[in-house]
């Protein structure tokens, strides 16, 4: 099996066995990756690749938006932030604006970092409850 095929198998297994929280973390990481790549593509004047990467980041933001549980108060706070990020990405794409990409990247990194803390706290609570003697 080639290393590329092995990596693809690993990636598929990682996604298929991930919890909801881990999947959200993967989405944030993907969004960050595509925004950073789009910034490099603007620098390299490869506008077709920039467009592709920004659209990938936008699709991730869309996925985050549609998966919000609107019964939760936090979802009502996150929706306008995701919408704002999506608009930043649209403007960045139209104007080749790295400042707008930087701003969107800042939000994505902040959300990812907070989400990591949520996952860690949740794991600590789950495992500390089962570890009593």
């Amino acid at each position: 099996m080639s290393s590329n095929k092995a990596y693809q198998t690993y990636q598929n297994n990682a996604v298929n066995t991930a919890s909801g929280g881990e999947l959200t973390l993967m989405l944030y990481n993907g969004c960050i990756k595509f925004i950073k790549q789009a910034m490099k593509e603007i620098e390299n004047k490869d506008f077709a690749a920039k467009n592709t990467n920004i659209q990938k980041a936008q699709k991730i933001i869309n996925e985050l938006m549609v998966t919000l549980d609107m019964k939760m108060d936090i979802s009502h706070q996150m929706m306008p932030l995701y919408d704002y990020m999506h608009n930043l990405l649209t403007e960045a794409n139209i104007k080749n604006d790295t400042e707008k990409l930087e701003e969107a990247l800042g939000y994505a990194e902040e959300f990812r970092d907070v989400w990591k803390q949520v996952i860690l706290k949740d794991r600590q609570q789950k495992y500390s409850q089962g570890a009593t003697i």
Side-chain angles (χ1 to χ4, degrees), residues 18-93:
S19 69
E22 291 165 333
L23 288 172
T24 300
L25 188 61
M26 288 177 189
L27 287 172
Y28 284 133
N29 284 330
C31 187
I32 290 165
K33 177 181 108 177
F34 294 129
I35 292 171
K36 285 180 177 180
Q37 191 59 43
M39 292 167 76
K40 287 179 188 172
E41 301 302 351
I42 288 174
E43 201 174 285
N44 296 333
K45 300 197 181 326
D46 186 346
F47 301 115
K50 174 242 10 175
N51 179 55
T52 299
N53 283 299
I54 289 177
Q55 286 181 352
K56 287 178 180 180
Q58 286 177 307
K59 286 178 183 177
I60 290 172
I61 297 300
N62 284 339
E63 183 64 23
L64 291 166
M65 291 171 83
V66 299
T67 58
L68 284 173
D69 180 355
M70 297 313 287
K71 296 175 191 161
M72 305 287 289
D73 287 338
I74 190 73
S75 296
H76 293 279
Q77 296 168 14
M78 292 302 296
M79 183 64 82
L81 294 171
Y82 287 152
D83 190 47
Y84 181 68
M85 283 179 66
H86 194 278
N87 289 334
L88 283 172
L89 292 169
T90 299
E91 287 183 45
N93 203 4

Side-chain angles (χ1 to χ4, degrees), residues 1 7 13 25 42 50 80 105 107 126:
M1 179 180 330
Y7 179 74
N13 287 339
L25 188 61
I42 288 174
K50 174 242 10 175
L105 177 63
Y107 283 114
K126 282 181 184 174

Side-chain angles (χ1 to χ4, degrees), residues 108-119:
E109 289 175 334
E110 189 173 332
F111 295 156
R112 185 235 9 234
D113 293 346
V114 169
W115 195 250
K116 273 187 192 176
Q117 293 303 313
V118 169
I119 290 172

Side-chain angles (χ1 to χ4, degrees), residues 2 4 15 27 42 57 76-77 81 86 98-99 124 129 133:
S2 72
N4 192 27
V15 169
L27 287 172
I42 288 174
H76 293 279
Q77 296 168 14
L81 294 171
H86 194 278
T98 55
E99 287 181 21
Q124 288 171 347
Q129 291 171 355
I133 298 177

